Amino acid sequence: NAGVTQTPKFQVLKTGQSMTLQCAQDMNHNSMYWYRQDPGMGLRLIYYSASEGTTDKGEVPNGYNVSRLNKREFSLRLESAAPSQTSVYFCASSEQGHNSPLHFGNGTRLTVT
Amino acid sequence: AQSVTQLDSQVPVFEEAPVELRCNYSSSVSVYLFWYVQYPNQGLQLLLKYLSGSTLVESINGFEAEFNKSQTSFHLRKPSVHISDTAEYFCAVSERNQGGKLIFGQGTELSVKP
């Protein structure tokens, strides 16, 4: 039982390049989330998907897009990477909304030069 | 909009000593409250939560937190810490009945020394 799986674990991009971070969960959860973690700022919500077929903006959505491909998968795309997007990105899922526990992946460490 | 403040960025403590990690929140509506723990190079894991009922909630590894509505606080305590408790701890809040997003505090790094 893998839980939440994120790929890749590490990535280095040049400014202006694009990439997609992949996330998959095998717990049959309805809700999925993307957070970024920066030193001294905790985790900030980028986008979330309350259920299959829906997505909503979080606190810091600018520069990102998401796709809820199916119930299992929720991807995060950076269309034109900027140094300010250097961060650790976490995907999470929960059974139903934010009052049920979030299960996190192990993160993707992204550096934009 | 809700916000969360963790008052200490780092808390060093000796093994077997008590510890308190402080968390205050602001919100105009009723909230759910959570503590998550992050061990090095891992994602976050739920430590404990307050949804309703008793204001004192406990985790399986000896941590407890008390919801204080009048002081808008949800401080995390443990009477005797172990080396293995060394980690970063995050307080988080979501607003009830709002389809609320989970907002995290800045984190407190707990360092337990022998």
Side-chain angles (χ1 to χ4, degrees), chain B residues 84-104:
Chain B
S84 59
D85 293 324
T86 294
E88 190 153 20
Y89 292 80
F90 292 92
C91 183
V93 61
S94 68
E95 293 182 334
R96 292 171 184 254
N97 303 324
Q98 302 284 322
K101 309 174 183 87
L102 192 64
I103 302 299
F104 285 86

Side-chain angles (χ1 to χ4, degrees), chain A residues 13-53:
Chain A
L13 292 178
K14 292 187 182 343
T15 298
Q17 288 185 316
S18 62
M19 80 161 294
T20 300
L21 280 65
Q22 307 285 355
C23 175
Q25 53 93 7
D26 61 3
M27 295 171 284
N28 201 35
H29 285 169
N30 289 304
S31 305
M32 296 186 74
Y33 314 85
W34 277 104
Y35 286 89
R36 59 177 289 174
Q37 182 177 26
D38 302 289
M41 302 189 75
L43 277 78
R44 292 180 292 169
L45 183 64
I46 305 171
Y47 271 93
Y48 68 106
S49 171
S51 60
E52 188 178 355

Side-chain angles (χ1 to χ4, degrees), chain A residues 5-11 87-89 106-110, chain B residues 41:
Chain A
T5 303
Q6 292 183 236
T7 55
K9 289 184 167 48
F10 301 94
Q11 184 71 49
S87 187
V88 181
Y89 291 85
N106 285 333
T108 295
R109 190 173 294 274
L110 175 67
Chain B
N41 299 313

Side-chain angles (χ1 to χ4, degrees), chain A residues 91-113:
Chain A
C91 177
S93 68
S94 69
E95 194 173 312
Q96 191 72 52
H98 278 104
N99 61 329
S100 49
L102 267 62
H103 296 256
F104 284 82
N106 285 333
T108 295
R109 190 173 294 274
L110 175 67
T111 302
V112 183
T113 61

